[in-house]
Structures are given as structure tokens and as C-alpha cells.
Amino acid sequence: MRRDVPLDHAYRLMNHGPTVLVSAAHAGRINLMAAAWAMPLDFKPPKVAVVLDKATFTRELLEASGEFALQLPCRASADLCNTVGNTSGRALAADGSNKFERYGIGHFGGQATGAPLVEGCVAWLECRLLREPHLQQAYDLFLAEVVAAQADERVFSNGRWHFDSAPEDLRTLHHVAGGHFLLPGAALQAGLLPERS
Ligand SMILES: Cc1cc2nc3c(=O)[nH]c(=O)nc-3n(C[C@H](O)[C@H](O)[C@H](O)COP(=O)(O)O)c2cc1C
């Protein structure tokens, strides 16, 4: 079901502005959180940017390990996304637990990083942190290179999302506020306006 995505298509997994789950691991601890403020940054090599608040435990893990994963939850995983976005893994870690265990969230190993990849998402981007201490400290902004990407071929193939023909449950989530999400609508191939002389 999961297919590798060529890295020159990796940015297309996020070009429609989805909310993502950020996961990271370090020294035996694993965690994940939701992030709506994430975007592609470059084509080749593919890069992404994500805003991670200083209070988040996920940020602590990815700053320590230098790697993380962004994955795209879908309609079927809306409650999961809202839950990991409203609870912190810090206290759980102090008890030797984590959100995966606490909420029964499945995960699997990645291809290029040690970050746990979340089952039930529709795309996964493994990222290596490009350390920019000033941006991280002043703006909570984290830049990274995408080093591996996979997507659920039922909904993303040949460099395109196929929301129209895929099951409704596989539509990505777009957060507005307070647990209120939108799902992507119909596809449209745009043309170019004719130039006026
Ligand atoms: C839909 C949604 C989107 C969010 N977007 C962001 C974001 O872009 N950046 C951020 O720092 N926190 C964001 N949050 C909040 C974090 O996910 C939240 O603080 C989380 O509890 C952090 O978990 P952690 O401390 O275990 O890492 C979002 C929460 C939700 C529900």
C-alpha cells in the first residue's frame, strides 16, 4: 500500500497545505505532536519548514537527535491528530511511557531516520534538521531536508493527490482552529490567461 515517492516529488505531498504530525525519537524516548504551521521550502534537495513551540516535548527530542518525520494524517485520523495536539508527551516520558502507548497509536520504522512513522497517515516525510539556531530560538522555525518520502498509493501517485477517486477517509486535514478542520475539495487543472497586446 505504501509506495516510495521520488524526492523531487516530495514537496507535492505538502503543497496543498495539510496539517502534519511531527514525530521524533531520542535516547529511547519517542513522541509526536500536531503542527498546522508547516510548509515546503525548496525542490532540490527538498526542504521543509515547521514552527515548533518551545514548550513542546517533540521539539526537545528533534533538537537532540537532529532528525524528525512529518506525516499527513487524514480524515480517519482526525481524533488522533487533535489528541496528540492537545496533550504533551513530557509527563508521560517521565513515567517511561509515551503518546503511542497511551493512545494505542501504531508506528513503524523509517527508511532514513530513527523517527517513528505513524500508522494510518497518508504520507510520510523523513527529515534531517538543518540547524539554524537563530531561527529556532527567535521564531521557533525549524528547517530540514527531506531525506525519504512515502505515500499511500490509493490517494497519491504519479506526483498527484487523487482525493476525488480515493475513499473519503483518506482526505488530508487542514486545521482552522480549535479542532475544526477542513477537507480538501475538488481537483482543478488551471490554464494560463491569454496575454493582451
Ligand atoms: C491541529 C493542531 C495544529 C497545531 N499546530 C501547531 C504548530 O504548527 N506548531 C506548534 O508548535 N504547535 C502546534 N500545535 C500544538 C501542539 O501540537 C501541542 O502543543 C502538543 O501538545 C505538543 O506536544 P508535545 O509537548 O508532546 O510535543 C497544534 C495543535 C493542533 C491540535
Side-chain angles (χ1 to χ4, degrees):
M1 205 75 80
R2 260 188 334 267
R3 264 283 162 85
D4 288 356
V5 174
L7 287 182
D8 61 347
H9 282 173
Y11 77 94
R12 299 185 185 192
L13 297 172
M14 292 178 64
N15 228 15
H16 65 305
T19 294
V20 299
L21 301 178
V22 187
S23 60
H26 183 251
R29 298 176 303 170
I30 56 175
N31 198 49
L32 81 166
M33 62 175 270
W37 292 356
M39 59 178 275
L41 196 64
D42 206 348
F43 293 113
K44 213 169 177 176
K47 298 190 191 81
V48 291
V50 60
V51 174
L52 302 169
D53 189 84
K54 289 181 186 61
T56 64
F57 182 52
T58 310
R59 170 172 169 159
E60 185 179 318
L61 295 186
L62 75 83
E63 279 188 313
S65 68
E67 54 186 35
F68 61 95
L70 300 183
Q71 43 251 296
L72 277 59
C74 55
R75 182 187 169 134
S77 42
D79 291 351
L80 184 165
C81 177
N82 202 38
T83 301
V84 301
N86 283 285
T87 52
S88 181
R90 201 180 300 280
L92 293 173
D95 291 340
S97 185
N98 57 64
K99 291 185 201 175
F100 292 95
E101 255 180 37
R102 173 61 60 98
Y103 300 109
I105 299 169
H107 62 94
F108 56 96
Q111 298 175 333
T113 67
L117 304 189
V118 181
E119 297 273 12
C121 287
V122 290
W124 300 261
L125 299 99
E126 291 177 68
C127 303
R128 201 149 287 147
L129 182 61
L130 299 168
R131 292 189 189 275
E132 291 287 349
H134 172 66
L135 294 181
Q136 293 168 203
Q137 197 53 35
Y139 305 107
D140 295 333
L141 182 62
F142 287 75
L143 311 186
E145 180 177 338
V146 180
V147 290
Q150 301 176 71
D152 186 327
E153 62 185 340
R154 290 175 296 171
V155 68
F156 185 90
S157 58
N158 301 320
R160 294 275 187 276
W161 286 103
H162 305 289
F163 295 120
D164 286 352
S165 53
E168 181 84 7
D169 259 0
L170 300 184
R171 290 185 188 230
T172 50
L173 298 172
H174 304 256
H175 191 236
V176 181
H180 180 76
F181 292 90
L182 300 174
L183 303 174
L188 168 74
Q189 180 65 52
L192 294 172
L193 291 175
E195 289 178 18
R196 295 188 177 178
S197 50

